[in-house]
Amino acid sequence: MITKDSIETAYSFLHQKQRIYIHSTLDWQKDDIEMAIAGYADSMSPALYETISEGRADFLRDHKRFREDINHAVEVLEGMLS
């Protein structure tokens, strides 16, 4: 079961990190954000992670797709809150 609180928490955290990530010009800062998000994904509700990842095991953990993944996650979570 996915609670509204878990959606709101995930959205707040990911949206904040997304905003910093997309405007950052510092590689170390982007790497830190990627690591923080991967750690958060590990502790996220499995049902919520499954929903936003659409079954991709490396979602929010793949450096090459991270920007696309975080944008997708924020978009899906935003839709879930509507």
Side-chain angles (χ1 to χ4, degrees):
M1 181 173 118
I2 302 171
T3 66
K4 184 174 181 176
D5 286 345
S6 68
I7 297 168
E8 289 173 345
T9 300
Y11 175 78
S12 295
F13 183 72
L14 294 177
H15 183 262
Q16 176 196 39
K17 297 301 182 195
Q18 175 202 37
R19 303 279 27 125
I20 297 167
Y21 187 88
I22 63 174
H23 295 291
S24 178
T25 59
L26 305 171
D27 289 338
W28 66 265
Q29 186 177 42
K30 289 182 174 186
D31 289 343
D32 285 354
I33 290 170
E34 288 182 32
M35 288 179 12
I37 297 294
Y40 182 78
D42 289 341
S43 67
M44 186 184 290
S45 153
L48 181 57
Y49 182 78
E50 177 71 24
T51 299
I52 66 171
S53 70
E54 298 174 348
R56 264 193 45 236
D58 64 346
F59 186 74
L60 296 172
R61 296 179 178 101
D62 180 354
H63 175 73
K64 293 177 184 174
R65 292 186 57 154
F66 183 80
R67 185 181 191 112
E68 178 184 335
D69 287 352
I70 196 164
N71 289 337
H72 176 76
V74 169
E75 182 179 306
V76 170
L77 290 164
E78 196 170 74
M80 293 173 80
L81 290 171
S82 299

